[in-house]
């Protein structure tokens, strides 16, 4: 929150909290997508090695 407040000093505490929550959720969803992609890639890799 401190980092966001430094770049947006006019935000009140409630706005700051909401923006922080939205940013946190966005980061979480990106990480979840990356994780899913990595897991799927690993499964495909394992499937290929099982067929060889």
């Amino acid at each position: 929150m401190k980092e966001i407040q430094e770049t947006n000093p006019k935000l009140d505490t409630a706005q700051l909290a909401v923006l922080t929550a939205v940013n946190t959720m966005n980061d979480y969803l990106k990480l979840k997508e990356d994780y899913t992609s990595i897991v799927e890639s690993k499964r495909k890799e394992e499937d290929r090695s099982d067929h060889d």
Side-chain angles (χ1 to χ4, degrees):
M1 283 178 67
K2 198 178 246 184
E3 195 176 299
I4 293 172
Q5 187 177 32
E6 288 173 2
T7 58
N8 302 284
K10 294 183 180 181
L11 295 178
D12 64 29
T13 303
Q15 292 170 323
L16 193 56
V18 170
L19 187 55
T20 300
V22 169
N23 285 343
T24 301
M25 183 54 79
N26 185 50
D27 290 346
Y28 167 76
L29 292 173
K30 285 180 184 177
L31 285 170
K32 188 176 174 186
E33 280 182 24
D34 290 347
Y35 174 78
T36 300
S37 176
I38 290 168
V39 168
E40 287 175 6
S41 176
K42 187 74 176 157
R43 281 189 189 137
K44 288 178 183 177
E45 202 175 279
E46 288 173 355
D47 286 349
R48 275 189 241 124
S49 67
D50 287 345
H51 295 321
D52 291 343

